[in-house]
Amino acid sequence: MLNRLKSVTVIFLFPCICYAQEPVKADTLIKKLDSLQAKPSEKNVINNVDPEAYNENTNLNFRTYFILLGSDLKQQFTVPFHTKKKEWMKTAAFAGIVAGLTFTDKPINKFTTRITNSSNTISSSSHFITKVSGLYETYTLAALGLYGFVVKNQKLKTTTLIATQAYITGAVVESVLKALSGRQRPNYIEAVTKQNKPTFNGPFGGTKRDIYGKKLNSSFPSGHAVVAFAAATVFAKEYRDIKWVPIVAYSAAGLIGASRLTENKHWFTDVVAGGVLGFLTGKQIVNNYHRFARIKTGGDKKNTVSFNMSYSMGNLQPGMVWKFN
């Protein structure tokens, strides 16, 4: 009877033995950053922006920078597959607002064109701002990163790197949306009507040219507004404890968006949509970095259960270890 009981015990515990001896797959950083995994613990997490939180443990090196960038892009393009009903309702509401604002595109375009043509100051300022917001914005980020490196300010270095990720991610996303929307720019004048129209031609609408014969890409959304607000959001959120930083960051982004109107490059709704998209992109990039920081510092570990077996005096003795985090 005792031998039979031992046999039954061994048979019962065999799955546990196999489970304990099965090789554990590496829990890689890429897997931990996967946006498709449930992370209920992050719902009400407040990102730690204290200078001490940016250290050798949370530092971005060449490898982790591109792992994080890849995760950012993946989250942006997979968000429709794991968006909840409540978020879809918000998206639909915003789409409705933008659709309603399209009725203001023509009047606002006429107004901005008129004041730009009537003032050399506005014209020159607009041209300067829209030029600076292109290539010179990358110079600004490079200068901030270099300054942070020279003065050994880890938070500034990290924030600048996150801002470049927001810039790149925003640029990729807006390029895809431009290709899908195919919207005519306001500086395109139709040959027959001699007017500009905020028309959406879709992905197969064809490429238009301006009055000088230059090819025009799609107008919606404003790429300048997207990347400007994406980078501004990173600095605004990482330095939210310094009141003037968010003010300066969003003011600069707002001026860049306004310059696209006075330069007659975009419709009003292009800039609005670009600004909101940039803000959401920057917010996502910031949250993803702080998820990375919690992982690297051990603050994102979950409770784990492990099994083991021991043999003593002719008996198999099962064991279980439950780690709380």
Side-chain angles (χ1 to χ4, degrees), residues 178-184 188 199-208:
K178 279 181 180 293
L180 293 175
S181 65
R183 194 183 200 188
Q184 290 182 187
Y188 170 72
T199 307
F200 287 92
N201 298 311
F204 307 107
T207 303
K208 307 297 183 181

Side-chain angles (χ1 to χ4, degrees), residues 122-134 136 259 263:
I122 293 177
S123 178
S124 58
S125 298
S126 171
H127 189 67
F128 172 77
I129 292 171
T130 203
K131 286 293 184 182
V132 167
S133 63
Y136 287 101
S259 73
E263 286 293 290

Side-chain angles (χ1 to χ4, degrees), residues 138-317:
T138 61
Y139 294 158
T140 302
L141 292 175
L144 287 171
L146 180 61
Y147 175 76
F149 180 80
V150 172
V151 300
K152 297 182 179 180
N153 187 326
Q154 188 61 49
K155 180 175 181 178
L156 182 58
K157 286 193 295 182
T158 301
T159 301
T160 304
L161 288 174
I162 303 171
T164 63
Q165 291 181 332
Y167 192 99
I168 295 170
T169 303
V172 172
V173 173
E174 60 92 3
S175 296
V176 173
L177 292 177
K178 279 181 180 293
L180 293 175
S181 65
R183 194 183 200 188
Q184 290 182 187
R185 288 184 179 267
N187 57 346
Y188 170 72
I189 307 299
E190 294 185 349
V192 178
T193 63
K194 303 299 181 182
Q195 293 183 354
N196 57 355
K197 292 183 179 180
T199 307
F200 287 92
N201 298 311
F204 307 107
T207 303
K208 307 297 183 181
R209 295 178 182 271
D210 62 13
I211 58 176
Y212 304 106
K214 182 180 178 181
K215 285 187 177 181
L216 300 172
N217 63 347
S218 175
S219 176
F220 185 91
S222 167
H224 283 69
V226 171
V227 297
F229 274 93
T233 300
V234 170
F235 282 97
K237 289 191 172 296
E238 292 298 276
Y239 287 94
R240 63 177 183 268
D241 52 332
I242 303 176
K243 294 182 179 180
W244 63 266
V245 173
I247 295 173
V248 171
Y250 285 128
S251 295
L255 285 173
I256 292 171
S259 73
R260 303 305 288 165
L261 300 176
T262 52
E263 286 293 290
N264 199 32
K265 300 294 185 182
H266 284 284
W267 304 100
F268 178 63
T269 48
D270 298 340
V271 175
V272 171
V276 173
L277 178 60
F279 170 79
L280 294 176
T281 300
K283 180 181 177 182
Q284 180 258 320
I285 268 68
V286 167
N287 289 340
N288 207 30
Y289 166 75
H290 285 282
R291 183 192 304 167
F292 161 83
R294 288 192 293 274
I295 291 171
K296 298 297 286 184
T297 56
D300 201 42
K301 293 180 179 178
K302 298 178 176 60
N303 297 341
T304 59
V305 178
S306 60
F307 297 91
N308 58 64
M309 299 295 299
S310 62
Y311 183 82
S312 177
M313 300 182 67
N315 292 310
L316 285 172
Q317 297 178 348

